[in-house]
Amino acid sequence: AGAPTNLIVFVDGVNHAIITDGVHWDLLKSTGNGTPHTPGGGAVLNKPSLVDNFENHLFLGGDRTAESVVAHSAPNNAINFNINDGAGQLSAGFDVVQFKPFRDNLFVFGENAIKKASPDTTSGFVLDNVTANVGCIARDSVVEIGGDLVFLSPDGFRPVAGTSRIGDVEIESISKNIQQLLTDLPITYDLDNLNAVVLRSKSQVRYFIGDDSRTVDASVGIIGGLRSADQRLGWEFGELLGIRASCCDSAYVSGIELVLHGDYDGKVYKQESGKSFNGADIVAIYTTPYFDFGDTETRKIFRKVNTFVRAEGPITVNMSLTYDWDDPRVTRPSTYTQDSAGAPVKYNTLGIIYAGTNVNYGGTDKPIIITPIQGSGYAVQLTYVTLGVFDPYSIQGMVFE
């Protein structure tokens, strides 16, 4: 009768792949014959750590006893790995770090090379070279976001972007502005513990370094997102702190995007919910570059800065100034603190009932925080810090007087 329609496959790199339809649980073994009672076949890998679905075939890889091999099942049958029925193996020629389907190809990543597998009418699948100079150094860094496939290479994040020229692939770095941070990652952390999750509603990807030897407060990560505040195209990146993810995933459930991560404490946490990190205050820091206003040789006297914010609720913002490229001989003023209270919101729905008094709604009372400042210099840098339980906010820009 063939394999069931809906299946889940588990791999861990140590044991046989486990396949289930929710009722029956079986092992994919090379000694199997591809039937529902004895799934598997001669082409299967016995200790895979990678699994995916491509062109109605189940793909397995990451077996430490055959690190360069990618195995695929027979067409339309995830439990049949008999070669005579159309199953087979592909030799990448390098140790396979990860593979992911993208458009009409299955991209196979090594640490220093990338190939792509495409369907072939005579041989099932064929491997073609993409590059022999760039590879992927973190298995879970390969994610699809914004219509592109992004991965972490030794010199930063790169996309696998199909250009207008058929068969051409673009892999130029998109993270040169944080290249030093990324090149230091493999030195400081074990990137086998890196976990990634995509937030489709925000065109955002979050990378977490999961390490049970570190505390939650000391756990770090990287956040990247496509620009949305203006009409300019490109990526923005920042650092994350306070989430120790051992695994993470996201999906739309009943039209709402659900973002989850697991911790080494055995619990599952829901992101994008509430105003704190499991009850702890959230620290947020944003530092601008140095502004010289087009003239590095003229000293300016600064009187005021207007900060444009978009906040979903009341916030307290601390702002500090640094002059002249952090010259230790230049005095800096004390930190400025500004509050922005909640404000009314507008409804476009009829039948709203306002009950009680002193009702507070989200939002800021004004989109501009005006801060009188002191000091002078050839260039100035701003640092914004919030620490507490606040609603989400973003800094849209600033104007100096």
Side-chain angles (χ1 to χ4, degrees):
T5 302
N6 298 311
L7 296 169
I8 300 177
V9 181
F10 301 89
V11 295
D12 61 7
V14 178
N15 304 288
H16 295 286
I18 300 175
I19 190 166
T20 178
D21 59 0
V23 178
H24 304 94
W25 297 74
D26 295 291
L27 301 177
L28 292 175
K29 298 181 178 181
S30 58
T31 56
N33 57 18
T35 64
H37 300 291
T38 54
V44 81
L45 298 176
N46 286 319
K47 298 180 180 180
S49 58
L50 302 172
V51 62
D52 216 322
N53 176 49
F54 175 65
E55 290 292 326
N56 298 319
H57 294 71
L58 181 69
F59 277 77
L60 299 173
D63 190 324
R64 293 184 179 180
T65 62
E67 294 186 295
S68 64
V69 175
V70 176
H72 64 84
S73 70
N76 302 304
N77 197 334
I79 66 173
N80 188 347
F81 279 80
N82 288 321
I83 298 177
N84 294 335
D85 295 328
Q89 293 185 346
L90 303 174
S91 179
F94 50 77
D95 291 350
V96 177
V97 176
Q98 180 63 280
F99 53 78
K100 286 287 184 180
F102 181 64
R103 297 182 181 175
D104 297 328
N105 300 287
L106 181 76
F107 284 85
V108 182
F109 297 86
E111 288 191 356
N112 299 296
I114 303 174
K115 292 186 177 182
K116 61 179 180 179
S118 54
D120 184 78
T121 56
T122 58
S123 57
F125 293 94
V126 293
L127 278 174
D128 296 315
N129 290 322
V130 174
T131 177
N133 300 315
V134 176
C136 176
I137 60 174
R139 172 173 296 176
D140 203 43
S141 69
V142 186
V143 295
E144 184 173 351
I145 178 174
D148 213 338
L149 199 64
V150 178
F151 64 96
L152 179 60
S153 69
D155 60 348
F157 290 108
R158 292 176 177 267
V160 174
T163 64
S164 58
R165 299 186 297 275
I166 298 176
D168 193 18
V169 174
E170 178 186 358
I171 54 174
E172 182 180 357
S173 176
I174 59 176
S175 58
K176 291 181 180 179
N177 52 343
I178 60 165
Q179 183 169 344
Q180 185 60 49
L181 171 65
L182 296 178
T183 53
D184 289 342
L185 279 180
I187 302 174
T188 310
Y189 304 101
D190 182 1
L191 295 187
D192 286 341
N193 296 326
L194 185 144
N195 299 282
V197 64
V198 173
L199 280 74
R200 296 160 185 82
S201 61
K202 294 185 175 182
S203 297
Q204 189 180 102
V205 59
R206 299 172 183 174
Y207 294 97
F208 304 105
I209 307 295
D211 187 348
D212 59 354
S213 65
R214 293 178 177 267
T215 64
V216 175
D217 294 339
S219 298
V220 300
I222 297 173
I223 185 172
L226 292 169
R227 295 182 66 98
S228 59
D230 52 35
Q231 299 302 314
R232 297 168 58 191
L233 298 178
W235 282 81
E236 296 175 326
F237 291 94
E239 296 182 72
L240 294 173
L241 186 68
I243 294 181
R244 186 181 61 180
S246 59
C247 59
C248 47
D249 202 359
S250 66
Y252 276 94
V253 179
S254 300
I256 300 175
E257 189 169 28
L258 184 65
V259 185
L260 303 176
H261 76 266
D263 197 317
Y264 292 94
D265 60 4
K267 297 179 181 178
V268 177
Y269 295 89
K270 180 180 178 182
Q271 299 182 20
E272 303 296 297
S273 177
K275 306 176 184 180
S276 66
F277 277 166
N278 194 27
D281 289 344
I282 296 179
V283 57
I285 303 172
Y286 170 63
T287 300
T288 71
Y290 276 95
F291 299 118
D292 58 31
F293 306 98
D295 190 348
T296 60
E297 303 305 316
T298 300
R299 178 178 294 277
K300 302 94 179 172
I301 299 175
F302 297 94
R303 294 188 176 92
K304 183 176 66 175
V305 59
N306 295 340
T307 305
F308 292 81
V309 297
R310 180 180 297 167
E312 298 180 12
I315 56 173
T316 299
V317 180
N318 300 299
M319 185 185 73
S320 64
L321 289 86
T322 304
Y323 291 111
D324 295 353
W325 302 279
D326 207 18
D327 187 338
R329 298 168 296 178
V330 178
T331 303
R332 66 175 67 180
S334 301
T335 299
Y336 301 95
T337 301
Q338 291 279 7
D339 293 324
S340 183
V345 295
K346 296 180 179 180
Y347 290 95
N348 58 4
T349 303
L350 299 177
I352 297 294
I353 299 176
Y354 298 90
T357 58
N358 300 323
V359 178
N360 289 325
Y361 292 92
T364 55
D365 55 349
K366 55 184 182 297
I368 305 175
I369 297 178
I370 301 174
T371 309
I373 60 176
Q374 296 173 303
S376 64
Y378 299 100
V380 63
Q381 180 188 63
L382 295 178
T383 299
Y384 298 91
V385 179
T386 58
L387 175 62
V389 181
F390 300 119
D391 288 295
Y393 72 93
S394 60
I395 296 174
Q396 304 295 308
M398 60 285 300
V399 175
F400 291 89
E401 179 181 315

